[in-house]
Amino acid sequence: MERRQSDSHRERPRPIRVLVAKPGLDGHDRGAKVMVRAMRDAGFEVVYTGLFQTPEMIANAALHEDVDVVGLSILSGAHMSLFPRIVDELREVGLEAVLVVAGGTIPDDDRSAVLKMGIAEVFGPGASLSSVVDYIRSNVGSRPDLA
Amino acid sequence: MAHDPTSPSVFSLAERVLAGDRRAVARALTLVETDDELATSIVDHLYPHTGSAIILGLTGPPGAGKSTLVGALVERFRRSWRTVAVLAVDPSSPVSGGAALGDRIRIGERVGDRGLFVRSVAARGHRGGLAPGIARMAHVLDAAGFDLIVLETLGVGQGDIGIVDRSHFVIVVQVPGLGDGIQAMKAGLLEIADLVVVNKGDLAGAARVVDELRSSFAMGSEPAPAVLKISATTGDGVDDLVVAIDDHMAAIIENGSMETRRRRLATTEVLDYLQLEFQRDLASAGQRLTDDPSVIDKVRSRDLTPLRAARQVAGR
């Protein structure tokens, strides 16, 4: 069988590390798990937090795991109140350079407001798995090693 | 890009690690995990400040409840140890190189506890239940002042005993339903345990597994490890386990075994790097063989045996 070699192995000294988080009171993580699996298959190292994470828990996990990307999956409708707090907490622990993307049920009307909060991109229910993977590959920052 | 080991940035990262800066610890873990050149310079700075942490290895088959047990243990360890760090290893995909790291879910997030640091580690193709940079990652945590480092392997089988040469104390987690008393007699993983835990003790058959393990150990001449029945999710037996760990730890420090173990870990780590050095030598010998077809020509014409040819290429 031909081995698929991910781009991350060719271009980066290490795999892209992603934290997939489920903020707030939202018990549905089918979508988050599908994303974890898709990114695993794309060659990323994906840490999944599990359900019911507070902004502080997400920032704590992102800090310990030294991730390049935080992916927020939310179906509860609380994105307008939770996302700014998550972005603040990430900044608080020194992770302002981390790429934050969001997915789930975020209405189109909220999209521009969410992007202004510091979320880099929003993926709606129709987004393909490969569009998320490709977006991350193209936009993940090349952080200085020793910063 | 080559890194100058004396560069101010390596020095400043190392200084921040020594000061316990968690962002610097996380960064240094990434670098020593991935980058051999940088790892060498970072460890140069940090190694003189290591040697006081105790590494507790936790291993067992997939789904035995290792991460859940780590979660239950760290909560209790945080009462007796100043600081605790966890390195939780999960498998990497042999196909994509990616990994789904799920240990954090079970271990649990403890916000505001600066004395606890939990890092998920992908095995990146390493065999034996651990990851290639794991010893260096432990050095970073040790230098950052973590007293106890819990090293959780990925789910392992009977022969994956790499943990014993990379930790000072080994707990093997078993569960009911994996086999009968004959399994308990088999060599391998169970032989290296300081303590054996039968998790999911509320399930049918747990007591029998405990009996079978104990009677198997009783047949041997070696001092038998204690076998404890627990349930990591309900917490049943976990307090007793912590007492058993403390007692056993005190005993191995008292009887000098800890010193032997520290020496064994150092030896293993040097051997691991020697293996890498020899792999490089092997690759360059292979290159010399390709570059100079006359050697194989002589083997083909029966002027040289394959063994003599190998020695010639190796320069012996």
Side-chain angles (χ1 to χ4, degrees):
Chain A
M1 192 178 69
E2 192 196 342
R3 288 193 165 202
R4 277 178 291 156
Q5 194 67 33
S6 66
D7 290 345
S8 64
H9 280 240
R10 276 202 304 269
E11 292 164 2
R12 294 166 57 90
R14 53 182 168 266
I16 294 173
R17 277 175 76 89
V18 185
L19 182 78
V20 171
K22 286 289 303 176
L25 298 176
D26 170 3
H28 301 279
D29 67 348
R30 176 84 189 159
K33 284 175 177 163
V34 169
M35 271 322 309
V36 170
R37 178 58 200 263
M39 290 192 280
R40 186 203 89 178
D41 291 345
F44 302 174
E45 290 181 356
V46 193
V47 180
Y48 179 43
T49 62
L51 300 166
F52 312 128
Q53 303 292 298
T54 65
E56 293 81 3
M57 290 160 93
I58 293 167
N60 193 55
L63 174 70
H64 287 188
E65 300 291 352
D66 192 30
V67 290
D68 306 290
V69 183
V70 173
L72 303 170
S73 165
I74 192 158
L75 302 168
S76 66
H79 47 274
M80 296 301 278
S81 61
L82 282 170
F83 284 2
R85 289 177 50 207
I86 294 166
V87 172
D88 281 352
E89 287 296 335
L90 287 172
R91 192 175 300 132
E92 189 75 19
V93 297
L95 298 181
E96 53 281 325
V98 166
L99 183 71
V100 186
V101 295
T105 50
I106 296 164
D108 286 342
D109 288 352
D110 291 346
R111 187 184 154 84
S112 66
V114 166
L115 294 178
K116 280 195 195 101
M117 291 167 185
I119 309 291
E121 188 53 280
V122 176
F123 296 94
S128 70
L129 298 173
S130 61
S131 69
V132 181
V133 166
D134 291 344
Y135 178 86
I136 289 174
R137 278 214 186 108
S138 320
N139 290 280
V140 70
S142 49
R143 295 178 299 166
D145 272 344
L146 295 161
Chain B
M1 191 180 74
H3 293 277
D4 175 6
T6 59
S7 84
S9 45
V10 170
F11 181 76
S12 110
L13 183 77
E15 287 299 308
R16 284 165 61 210
V17 169
L18 291 173
D21 175 342
R22 291 184 306 160
R23 175 97 190 91
V25 169
R27 206 81 264 273
L29 287 174
T30 304
L31 297 176
V32 301
E33 181 183 21
T34 319
D35 187 320
D36 281 342
E37 281 306 306
L38 266 177
T40 307
S41 3
I42 293 170
V43 175
D44 282 346
H45 284 288
L46 297 182
Y47 199 72
H49 304 276
T50 63
S52 41
I54 288 182
I55 304 176
L56 172 69
L58 210 123
T59 190
K66 294 182 292 300
S67 302
T68 309
L69 178 56
V70 169
L73 285 175
V74 290
E75 196 181 308
R76 288 161 175 85
F77 284 154
R78 288 294 292 115
R79 293 175 205 150
S80 45
W81 295 78
R82 205 170 49 81
T83 47
V84 179
V86 179
L87 293 171
V89 186
D90 263 335
S92 292
S93 160
V95 180
S96 72
L101 308 169
D103 291 329
R104 267 198 116 78
I105 306 175
R106 320 277 181 215
I107 295 170
E109 216 63 58
R110 287 173 183 77
V111 172
D113 182 359
R114 293 182 60 87
L116 176 66
F117 194 97
V118 179
R119 178 65 170 251
S120 314
V121 184
R124 298 190 180 170
H126 192 83
R127 310 268 316 246
L130 293 165
I134 207 80
R136 298 195 296 234
M137 296 177 88
H139 293 326
V140 168
L141 294 165
D142 188 347
F146 288 96
D147 297 332
L148 180 69
I149 300 169
V150 180
L151 188 54
E152 180 196 334
T153 71
L154 51 81
V156 301
Q158 291 163 325
D160 298 315
I161 56 167
I163 186 82
V164 73
D165 293 323
R166 286 159 189 87
S167 49
H168 301 117
F169 190 108
V170 179
I171 297 177
V172 174
V173 184
Q174 297 283 290
V175 279
L178 292 181
D180 61 7
I182 300 299
Q183 292 299 333
M185 289 173 65
K186 289 186 181 174
L189 194 57
L190 286 166
E191 287 178 282
I192 60 157
D194 288 291
L195 281 173
V196 177
V197 164
V198 176
N199 191 26
K200 311 193 185 186
D202 49 326
L203 293 186
R208 212 190 69 210
V209 174
V210 171
D211 289 345
E212 283 167 352
L213 286 167
R214 281 183 184 149
S215 62
S216 168
F217 286 131
M219 292 173 206
S221 52
E222 297 291 306
V227 181
L228 286 90
K229 185 169 73 117
I230 65 153
S231 168
T233 41
T234 66
D236 280 350
V238 180
D239 287 332
D240 293 339
L241 172 59
V242 171
V243 171
I245 292 170
D246 286 348
D247 289 351
H248 195 80
M249 197 103 70
I252 61 176
I253 291 168
E254 178 78 12
N255 68 19
S257 169
M258 187 58 95
E259 269 315 299
T260 316
R261 291 168 189 225
R262 287 193 183 279
R263 191 168 183 85
R264 190 177 64 211
L265 259 67
T267 309
T268 304
E269 197 178 350
V270 175
L271 282 171
D272 283 347
Y273 291 122
L274 271 176
Q275 197 171 349
L276 289 177
E277 297 294 328
F278 285 128
Q279 272 166 9
R280 275 185 210 117
D281 289 351
L282 180 61
S284 74
Q287 192 58 49
R288 289 201 294 280
L289 194 59
T290 319
D291 292 346
D292 177 10
S294 72
V295 180
I296 297 299
D297 289 344
K298 282 183 206 152
V299 174
R300 295 278 288 118
S301 62
R302 268 53 188 175
D303 291 319
L304 201 57
T305 67
L307 174 62
R308 297 275 175 208
R311 287 191 181 158
Q312 188 183 312
V313 173
R316 291 194 187 116

